[in-house]
């Protein structure tokens, strides 16, 4: 039992050090393209899910292009935080970025920042730097006109920090043991 508790503490501290910041509630907005079923394979890129929110948890999804029942808009997500945050960047990974853009919009859907996306059907990582962007509600939009059949997205990471110095949970770790579940939370103060 002591060794499991020590392992739990070590894993929790490692998670706290690598914590990326507050996590938003993400919702899919109207206009987002339909997705292919999990397991769909395009050019060797196999989707793990058919849920359009999957890239926020590191699972891949393949959105349909506009010639097969999707839209020119790959996705429109609403990001809602429990308090005001500063967003420093957004990182998106995947394939079939054949022209278009990734944009961050404010709560009134005014453009805050955007980058152009281009690349063929190889794997790509794009970073949208957003220094100085603050707020509590945002919209994240990707528009791709050149990917008419499929768009594979494997990860979306929003790098944000709370604006206040109120402590927040860095991580919650649940370990299943023969005696039950151990739950640990470490609180850390934002700089």
């Amino acid at each position: 039992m002591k060794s499991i508790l020590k392992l739990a503490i070590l894993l929790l501290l490692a998670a706290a050090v690598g914590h990326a910041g507050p996590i938003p509630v993400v919702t899919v907005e109207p206009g987002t393209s339909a997705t292919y079923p999990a397991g769909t394979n395009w050019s060797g890129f196999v989707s793990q899910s058919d849920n359009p929110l999957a890239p926020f948890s590191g699972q891949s999804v393949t959105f349909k292009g506009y010639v097969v029942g999707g839209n020119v808009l790959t996705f429109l997500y609403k990001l809602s935080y429990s308090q005001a945050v500063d967003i420093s960047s957004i990182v998106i990974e995947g394939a079939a970025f054949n022209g278009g853009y990734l944009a961050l919009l404010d709560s009134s859907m005014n453009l805050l920042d955007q980058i152009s996306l281009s690349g063929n059907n190889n794997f790509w990582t794009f970073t949208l730097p957003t220094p100085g962007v603050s707020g509590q509600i945002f919209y994240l939009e990707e528009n791709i006109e050149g990917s008419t059949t499929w768009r594979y997205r494997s990860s979306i990471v929003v790098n944000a920090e709370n604006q206040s110095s109120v402590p927040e949970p860095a991580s919650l770790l649940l370990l299943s043991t023969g005696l039950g579940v151990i739950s640990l939370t470490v609180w850390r103060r934002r700089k």
Side-chain angles (χ1 to χ4, degrees), residues 17-52:
V17 169
H19 180 63
I23 298 172
V25 173
V26 181
T27 55
V28 177
E29 295 294 300
T32 296
S33 286
T35 62
Y36 286 101
T40 299
N41 183 340
W42 285 97
S43 297
F45 296 101
V46 180
S47 60
Q48 296 170 306
S49 175
D50 63 353
N51 184 337

Side-chain angles (χ1 to χ4, degrees), residues 16-96:
V17 169
H19 180 63
I23 298 172
V25 173
V26 181
T27 55
V28 177
E29 295 294 300
T32 296
S33 286
T35 62
Y36 286 101
T40 299
N41 183 340
W42 285 97
S43 297
F45 296 101
V46 180
S47 60
Q48 296 170 306
S49 175
D50 63 353
N51 184 337
L53 295 174
F56 285 94
S57 62
Q59 289 194 318
S60 59
V61 64
T62 304
F63 292 93
K64 292 182 176 183
Y66 60 89
V67 299
V68 291
N71 297 319
V72 173
L73 188 67
T74 302
F75 57 73
L76 178 61
Y77 297 120
K78 182 178 182 181
L79 311 173
S80 302
Y81 290 89
S82 61
Q83 66 184 61
V85 297
D86 297 320
I87 295 180
S88 59
S89 66
I90 298 169
V91 180
I92 185 170
E93 295 181 338

Side-chain angles (χ1 to χ4, degrees), residues 164-179:
S164 73
S165 61
V166 175
E168 69 173 52
S171 182
L172 177 64
L173 180 66
L174 298 174
L175 287 179
S176 178
T177 68
L179 303 172

